[in-house]
């Protein structure tokens, strides 16, 4: 008889395979990084990285092995036994002198039992937490309260233990920055509660106000080959108890993130938006979440990771919600709209289309890519491209100093792919070309 390991985060693995956690890990792209602090916060929700792994095949091997661990319910020792021979065979093991990204020889610690434990614990627990977040979001209509549950095997962290039992609404700002895990080794979790439980169970309900959240830059180390300070954003949250007591809580540097930045919430948002199709207020709520800081940072991470990797990984970012007027127009054109959520793929950043528009000089700038979710809600007009049977979003283009608008539009061509609205091309066009197209009846005005 197989003995179930007595570790909370591993016990979950011995039930049915955690499909959402597996999907989360599979959804990540890859990012080559040298120091651990090169990929922090929301970027971790979009890219899989291991410090000092400079080969994509090694990253692929490690991620594949972690997915297998989740699928098969492997514990740490089983996973280490499976992955160690591969890493040793490919030379990623022990202390070695290697050439760093600056072209300088450097003695570094590569694979080791200790490093493997960190890789396993961080990735498995974050994947399970992201999967649980998706499940919690699916029940907010009946269980809108979330309770922090402290879990510790040995040596409990006092600041985490102090959070035990604290209960907040699912949309409390606290969860945007401090959804566990909030540091290496943290195994705390969140439990959903009914609104009636607050009184029935005498829950410790607290509320975070916007002014209770402060962010500042902290030095978290030095680049191992340039010697420059590595700086990260750290969040400090004021916690006000019902009895008037005030304490503070800060996630560790690098954990200033949230599962809302992940692919899993894109999936849940798509489902929720589809359920609300036709309900304008519901669609506005989804749009509001997409414009929240964690979501905007997630899109920023998507853009920067795609550019850093340099080639298509078939990853997407959710950047907006199409308007009810657009949906009604598309329905009349017999276009299937199963979800109003608007997505964009990384191939438009680094694929053949990106190269072609770059050479033509009409590609979006990096800034325009980064602010795309905000610009979409400020679009100028919406047209129907008659010959291509696609919807066009025309966004105003600012001058480099942001002092005025240019004579161009950023044109987004949008099509339904299996019921999901996807941006299939994005590039700049002269406003005159749009006017000429309207006069020639190449376009129809939607709004």
């Amino acid at each position: 008889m197989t003995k179930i390991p007595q570790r909370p985060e591993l016990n979950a693995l011995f039930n049915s395979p955690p499909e959402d956690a597996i999907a989360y890990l599979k959804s990540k792209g890859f990012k080559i990084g040298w120091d651990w602090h090169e990929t922090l916060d929301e970027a971790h929700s979009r890219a899989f990285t291991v410090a000092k792994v400079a080969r994509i095949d090694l990253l692929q091997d490690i991620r594949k092995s972690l997915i297998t661990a989740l699928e098969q319910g492997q514990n740490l020792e089983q996973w280490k036994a499976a992955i160690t021979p591969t890493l040793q065979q490919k030379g990623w093991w022990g202390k070695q002198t290697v050439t760093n990204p600056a072209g300088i020889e450097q003695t570094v610690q590569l694979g080791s039992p200790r490093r493997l434990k960190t890789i396993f614990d961080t990735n498995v627990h974050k994947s399970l937490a992201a999967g649980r977040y998706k499940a919690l979001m699916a029940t907010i209509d009946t269980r809108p309260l979330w309770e922090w549950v402290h879990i510790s095997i040995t040596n409990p962290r006092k600041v985490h233990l102090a959070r035990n039992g604290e209960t907040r609404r699912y949309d409390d700002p606290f969860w945007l920055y401090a959804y566990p895990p909030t540091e290496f080794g943290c195994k705390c979790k969140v439990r959903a509660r009914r609104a009636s439980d607050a009184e029935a169970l005498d829950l410790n309900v607290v509320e975070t106000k916007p002014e209770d959240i402060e962010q500042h830059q902290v030095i978290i180390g030095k680049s191992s080959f340039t010697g420059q300070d590595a700086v990260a954003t750290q969040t400090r949250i004021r916690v006000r108890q019902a009895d008037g007591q005030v304490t503070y809580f800060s996630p560790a540097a690098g954990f200033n993130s949230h599962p809302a930045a992940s692919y899993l919430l894109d999936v849940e948002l798509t489902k929720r938006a589809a359920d609300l199709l036709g309900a304008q207020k519901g669609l506005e709520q989804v749009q509001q979440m997409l414009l929240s800081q964690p979501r905007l940072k997630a899109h920023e991470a998507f853009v920067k990771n795609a550019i850093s990797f340099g080639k298509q990984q078939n990853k997407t970012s959710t950047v907006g919600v199409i308007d009810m007027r657009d949906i009604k127009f598309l329905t009349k054109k017999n276009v299937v709209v199963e979800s109003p959520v608007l997505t964009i793929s990384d191939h438009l950043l680094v694929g053949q289309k990106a190269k072609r528009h770059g050479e033509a000089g009409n590609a979006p700038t990096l800034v325009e890519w980064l602010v795309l979710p905000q610009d979409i809600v400020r679009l100028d007009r919406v047209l129907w491209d008659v010959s291509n049977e696609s919807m066009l979003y025309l966004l105003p283009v600012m001058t480099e100093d942001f002092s005025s608008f240019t004579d161009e539009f950023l044109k987004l061509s949008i099509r339904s792919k299996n019921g999901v609205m996807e941006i299939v091309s994005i590039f700049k066009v002269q406003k005159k070309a749009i006017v000429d197209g309207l006069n020639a009846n190449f376009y129809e005005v939607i709004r």
Side-chain angles (χ1 to χ4, degrees), residues 195-307:
S196 58
D197 289 340
E199 184 175 347
L201 302 178
D202 193 25
L203 297 177
N204 178 23
V205 179
V206 294
E207 179 183 0
T208 309
K209 298 178 180 179
E211 58 267 29
D212 292 331
I213 297 175
E214 302 171 354
Q215 290 189 306
H216 56 279
Q217 301 295 105
V218 295
I219 297 174
I220 58 174
K222 291 183 180 293
S223 168
S224 64
F225 57 91
T226 68
Q228 294 181 325
D229 289 337
V231 178
T233 300
Q234 188 162 38
T235 303
R236 185 171 183 255
I237 305 170
R238 183 184 296 108
V239 182
R240 305 171 187 266
Q241 302 292 349
D243 61 3
Q245 182 182 359
V246 174
T247 57
Y248 293 87
F249 181 72
S250 293
F255 285 80
N256 190 51
S257 184
H258 173 252
S262 79
Y263 156 87
L264 285 174
L265 189 61
D266 290 354
V267 175
E268 187 56 36
L269 276 176
T270 302
K271 177 181 179 299
R272 189 165 182 78
D275 292 342
L276 295 167
L277 201 59
Q280 183 62 32
K281 185 176 180 181
L283 296 184
E284 289 172 358
Q285 289 175 346
V286 175
Q287 179 67 74
Q288 185 177 6
M289 178 169 280
L290 288 171
L291 292 174
S292 68
Q293 280 304 306
R295 293 297 307 172
L296 295 178
K297 289 181 180 179
H299 175 73
E300 179 181 330
F302 160 80
V303 172
K304 291 183 176 179
N305 287 338
I307 293 173

Side-chain angles (χ1 to χ4, degrees), residues 5 43 158 172 215 231 410:
K158 291 182 179 179
D172 188 289
Q215 290 189 306
V231 178
L410 187 61

Side-chain angles (χ1 to χ4, degrees), residues 62-265:
I62 296 170
R63 189 183 72 167
K64 183 179 179 180
S65 70
L66 288 165
I67 290 170
T68 299
L70 284 167
E71 290 174 336
Q72 299 182 2
Q74 294 177 358
N75 61 25
L76 171 61
E77 296 306 318
Q78 291 169 323
W79 174 74
K80 282 166 54 178
I83 190 61
T84 297
T86 299
L87 300 179
Q88 291 176 334
Q89 181 184 357
K90 293 189 175 184
W92 197 79
W93 197 259
K95 281 194 175 181
Q96 293 190 32
T97 300
V98 297
T99 303
N100 66 30
I104 302 170
E105 286 194 346
Q106 180 182 355
T107 301
V108 297
Q109 175 68 56
L110 300 178
S112 69
R114 182 178 178 181
R115 286 209 65 192
L116 291 187
K117 182 180 186 303
T118 299
I119 293 168
F120 182 83
D121 283 352
T122 300
N123 284 281
V124 166
H125 196 55
K126 273 211 164 187
S127 297
L128 290 170
R132 184 166 179 79
Y133 181 86
K134 178 175 177 284
L136 290 170
M137 282 296 295
T139 65
I140 58 176
D141 291 335
T142 57
R143 296 175 179 273
L145 298 180
W146 289 1
E147 178 188 3
W148 181 294
V149 180
H150 176 262
I151 295 175
S152 177
I153 300 171
T154 56
N155 301 322
R157 296 174 175 87
K158 291 182 179 179
V159 290
H160 289 220
L161 187 58
R163 305 281 74 79
N164 190 51
E166 285 182 353
T167 305
R168 300 167 172 83
R169 275 184 54 87
Y170 75 93
D171 54 359
D172 188 289
F174 178 89
W175 301 120
L176 297 178
Y177 304 97
Y179 184 96
T182 57
E183 64 179 282
F184 289 111
C186 171
K187 296 175 176 63
C188 299
K189 67 176 185 178
V190 174
R191 175 164 53 203
R193 294 289 197 181
R194 299 181 186 277
S196 58
D197 289 340
E199 184 175 347
L201 302 178
D202 193 25
L203 297 177
N204 178 23
V205 179
V206 294
E207 179 183 0
T208 309
K209 298 178 180 179
E211 58 267 29
D212 292 331
I213 297 175
E214 302 171 354
Q215 290 189 306
H216 56 279
Q217 301 295 105
V218 295
I219 297 174
I220 58 174
K222 291 183 180 293
S223 168
S224 64
F225 57 91
T226 68
Q228 294 181 325
D229 289 337
V231 178
T233 300
Q234 188 162 38
T235 303
R236 185 171 183 255
I237 305 170
R238 183 184 296 108
V239 182
R240 305 171 187 266
Q241 302 292 349
D243 61 3
Q245 182 182 359
V246 174
T247 57
Y248 293 87
F249 181 72
S250 293
F255 285 80
N256 190 51
S257 184
H258 173 252
S262 79
Y263 156 87
L264 285 174
L265 189 61

Side-chain angles (χ1 to χ4, degrees), residues 11 30 62 110 150 153 181 198 224 309 349 365 392 434 436 447:
N11 288 345
F30 295 99
I62 296 170
L110 300 178
H150 176 262
I153 300 171
S224 64
F309 190 70
L349 267 159
T365 65
L392 304 180
I434 298 297
D436 291 344
R447 59 183 171 96

Side-chain angles (χ1 to χ4, degrees), residues 310-322:
K311 62 181 180 180
Q312 182 179 343
Q313 298 184 75
N314 298 315
K315 305 305 174 187
T316 62
S317 177
T318 302
V319 293
V321 177
I322 64 174

